[in-house]
Amino acid sequence: MRPQYTNVTPQIIDDIITLMGKNSVFIDAIDREAYAMDETALLDPVMPDIVVKPSDTAAVARLLAYADSHVIPVTPRGAGTGLSGGVLPVYGGIVLSMERMNQILEIDTNNFTATVEPGVALSDLCAAVEAQGLYYPLHPGEMSASIGGNIATNAGGMNAVKYGVTRHHVLGLEAVLADGTVINTGGKYVKSASGYDLTQLLIGSEGTLAVITKIILKLSTKQANREILFVPFMDLQNAVDSVPDILRLPLLPTGLEFMEKDIIDIIERYTGRVMPCHDHKAFLMIIMEGNSIDAVTDYFAQVDTICRRYGSSEAVIPGSEHAKRELIESREKFYVALKKYAPLELMDVVVPRSQIALFLKKVKEISHEYNIPAVAYGHAGDGNIHLHFVCTTMSLDEWKRKLPSLLNAVYTTGISLGGTVSGEHGIGLEKIEYLAGHIDTGLLRMMKRIKHSFDPHNILNPGKLIDLG
Ligand SMILES: Cc1cc2nc3c(=O)[nH]c(=O)nc-3n(C[C@H](O)[C@H](O)[C@H](O)COP(=O)(O)OP(=O)(O)OC[C@H]3O[C@@H](n4cnc5c(N)ncnc54)[C@H](O)[C@@H]3O)c2cc1C
């Protein structure tokens, strides 16, 4: 059922200009067009009626109070790098772009915290923190993403094996509720037993519960050495089978990625670079940090011994900073290269690490049954598998017809193995029915109640995460 929203009339636009100031409000089609999409493949753009770019929390609060009292949908937006259609304003209304709230307010070198506005780019945060001798260790693949977007999606990325995901690095938030109330959660402390933990509830809520306007992040110190071991195998199964043994070593790697030959071929074509050992069928990429090169080399020797037991060939350690950077960059560009290669659907199912091999085996069977190739790679160290079902064997129409049933079969398989629908990209618009179809009905009911108590008129990012219909 389509929610009943107020249309954005010329009178409403005038009111919003009065509230926010003329320079913060954009109504021309050419200005709105850039806010109709994110990085998700194959979604049709949806134009907002109006784009608003506030500069401070008070302005966000004024806008939400107005939108709530007039029942106008508001879609918060960070940098628009999301991969689940989370920023598409599916019911029109206002896109609330946080891009002007992009100040790093403080880096506190005694408490190891950074206090930032949500529009700060992840790359800018990392650079500023490192300039102070500290470290923000998360590495979700797209460094132009905003910190607000990272928090709203609970972004993960390559370093999650050692450092966890975004929620493990957030100490406090300032957020504006749907009716314009400003709340502050947490603070510059690491322990709290003081009531419900709304910081954690808002993380991963994809703009459906509140607009995040300030963030206190936990920082750490950086280890001196960061190296990569690239291990080739002749068989994917052997590569992923070696992962539990690698993780049983006393030291945890920072990242542990797997990839197959087909994505290596695609990335080589895209970048024009030759990847190491590219004649092999599957690869593990292990990232390790340590306080001395000897400690890292010693760890890699242990990993190599394990991988050899599973049939690996000679592993490669890139010798220069440039070679390391190229390898990481190639990994970061997989999605962009795949988008160029063929129409595709991206899934980011997560399963218990011990089930990766079985899950991938079953995915291959499903892919074979539907005659739709699956390109698989991902975060082997945390069980988060990126699957791309590409349209290379049939017409686009036929592929689109078959896709929902194929996706359903893959989600059902992942969940039957103890996994869940999304490990890091979020539910957004794309996976809403799959979440609803695959989680406990009591849990879904509870999520709807929480949404209703935060946002009774359903103005915040409606049509995302859960269907209230
Ligand atoms: C090439 C590429 C690689 C990627 N690799 C990874 C990866 O490894 N790991 C990973 O986790 N993600 C990855 N992503 C996905 C994406 O970068 C993340 O989802 C990121 O967190 C989105 O941030 P953003 O600022 O672009 O948010 P947007 O796309 O603008 O928004 C995402 C969601 O957050 C909400 N939102 C944004 N800001 C706020 C706010 N201030 N308050 C409330 N809600 C808000 C939006 O409403 C939307 O629901 C990748 C994307 C690309 C294009």
Side-chain angles (χ1 to χ4, degrees):
M1 193 179 64
R2 192 187 193 285
Q4 291 300 307
Y5 290 114
T6 305
N7 288 331
V8 176
T9 58
Q11 178 59 55
I12 284 179
I13 292 175
D14 282 349
D15 288 353
I16 293 177
I17 290 174
T18 306
L19 270 179
M20 306 298 291
K22 199 166 174 12
N23 293 339
S24 303
V25 179
F26 298 83
I27 49 173
D28 291 345
I30 192 152
D31 294 326
R32 289 181 287 132
E33 222 168 304
Y35 297 85
M37 267 307 284
D38 61 8
E39 290 294 333
T40 315
L42 292 187
L43 281 180
D44 293 328
V46 184
M47 284 276 266
D49 294 306
I50 175 168
V51 176
V52 180
K53 302 181 187 179
S55 298
D56 58 34
T57 303
V60 175
R62 281 198 302 279
L63 183 74
L64 290 192
Y66 179 86
D68 194 44
S69 62
H70 289 77
V71 196
I72 300 166
V74 177
T75 304
R77 182 182 173 104
T81 71
L83 296 177
S84 62
V87 291
L88 270 67
V90 285
Y91 296 113
I94 303 164
V95 160
L96 177 59
S97 171
M98 304 308 284
E99 68 197 72
R100 287 186 182 165
M101 294 182 63
N102 61 357
Q103 297 303 304
I104 296 174
L105 301 171
E106 182 194 46
I107 295 174
D108 180 339
T109 54
N110 291 325
N111 286 307
F112 286 57
T113 59
T115 304
V116 303
E117 292 186 320
V120 170
L122 177 60
S123 54
D124 291 344
L125 172 77
C126 291
V129 159
E130 290 191 27
Q132 299 288 323
L134 294 173
Y135 189 38
Y136 182 67
L138 294 189
H139 192 93
E142 180 53 62
M143 298 299 281
S144 69
S146 71
I147 300 299
N150 279 180
I151 284 166
T153 57
N154 188 26
M158 272 192 263
N159 296 353
V161 188
K162 178 170 175 183
Y163 293 108
V165 295
T166 300
R167 67 169 70 256
H168 303 120
H169 299 267
V170 182
L171 297 176
L173 295 173
E174 175 190 82
V176 184
L177 303 181
D179 66 0
T181 307
V182 180
I183 60 167
N184 283 280
T185 73
K188 286 186 189 176
Y189 41 78
V190 290
K191 288 169 87 176
S192 168
S194 313
Y196 299 133
D197 192 340
L198 294 196
T199 309
Q200 291 299 324
L201 180 56
L202 294 183
I203 297 168
S205 66
E206 301 186 36
T208 63
L209 299 183
V211 176
I212 292 153
T213 46
K214 202 194 294 178
I215 302 132
I216 305 173
L217 293 166
K218 182 170 81 177
L219 305 175
S220 33
T221 47
K222 192 172 183 176
Q223 291 181 293
N225 299 87
R226 181 183 168 89
E227 302 296 329
I228 302 170
L229 184 74
F230 199 69
V231 192
F233 291 82
M234 271 309 181
D235 180 77
L236 177 66
Q237 196 71 29
N238 285 347
V240 291
D241 281 347
S242 69
V243 170
D245 281 357
I246 296 173
L247 294 172
R248 262 191 281 275
L249 289 171
L251 291 177
L252 260 189
T254 304
L256 205 178
E257 302 281 303
F258 80 94
M259 50 204 82
E260 279 191 281
K261 165 89 174 133
D262 29 6
I263 185 63
I264 296 293
D265 290 343
I266 292 166
I267 195 69
E268 285 187 340
R269 224 170 304 154
Y270 180 78
T271 60
R273 290 180 198 145
V274 178
M275 295 284 281
C277 323
H278 67 151
D279 51 335
H280 283 68
K281 295 269 186 291
F283 308 84
L284 291 182
M285 186 169 101
I286 297 126
I287 305 165
M288 186 62 182
E289 295 168 341
N291 277 329
S292 74
I293 193 73
D294 286 350
V296 177
T297 313
D298 182 51
Y299 173 77
F300 282 166
Q302 295 176 57
V303 172
D304 186 51
T305 306
I306 292 170
C307 291
R308 295 286 181 148
R309 284 209 300 272
Y310 288 89
S312 72
S313 305
E314 190 164 348
V316 173
I317 300 177
S320 65
E321 281 306 314
H322 177 71
K324 263 191 270 179
R325 190 62 236 149
E326 273 197 358
L327 205 51
I328 293 283
E329 261 173 28
S330 296
R331 167 62 188 85
E332 285 170 355
K333 289 197 170 108
F334 281 0
Y335 178 65
V336 186
L338 270 157
K339 254 173 119 180
K340 275 245 173 271
Y341 169 71
L344 58 87
E345 177 72 28
L346 163 60
M347 301 175 85
D348 83 307
V349 173
V350 59
V351 294
R353 293 187 293 214
S354 60
Q355 302 287 19
I356 295 175
L358 181 56
F359 177 64
L360 285 171
K361 185 167 169 283
K362 286 176 181 273
V363 167
K364 297 268 162 171
E365 286 165 9
I366 296 169
S367 146
H368 187 71
E369 185 192 324
Y370 282 81
N371 187 28
I372 297 183
V375 181
Y377 61 90
H379 311 302
D382 57 39
N384 189 195
I385 316 292
H386 295 327
L387 294 168
H388 297 76
F389 290 97
V390 288
C391 175
T392 51
T393 49
M394 59 191 69
S395 72
L396 191 58
D397 281 348
E398 189 184 359
W399 179 79
K400 281 186 174 169
R401 237 185 354 263
K402 284 182 159 185
L403 211 52
S405 153
L406 177 153
L407 297 183
N408 206 39
V410 174
Y411 283 124
T412 304
T413 303
I415 283 146
S416 73
L417 294 174
T420 190
V421 172
S422 170
E424 60 183 11
H425 297 155
I427 302 302
L429 177 63
E430 283 242 291
K431 299 172 206 137
I432 204 163
E433 68 195 88
Y434 300 109
L435 181 74
H438 286 102
I439 60 168
D440 183 287
T441 49
L443 177 60
L444 189 61
R445 207 168 42 243
M446 207 53 222
M447 284 194 194
K448 289 182 182 178
R449 282 192 202 156
I450 290 169
K451 166 72 177 167
H452 186 74
S453 76
F454 270 81
D455 180 17
H457 302 127
N458 191 20
I459 63 154
L460 280 176
N461 212 359
K464 311 294 167 49
L465 209 157
I466 40 171
D467 182 3
L468 297 176

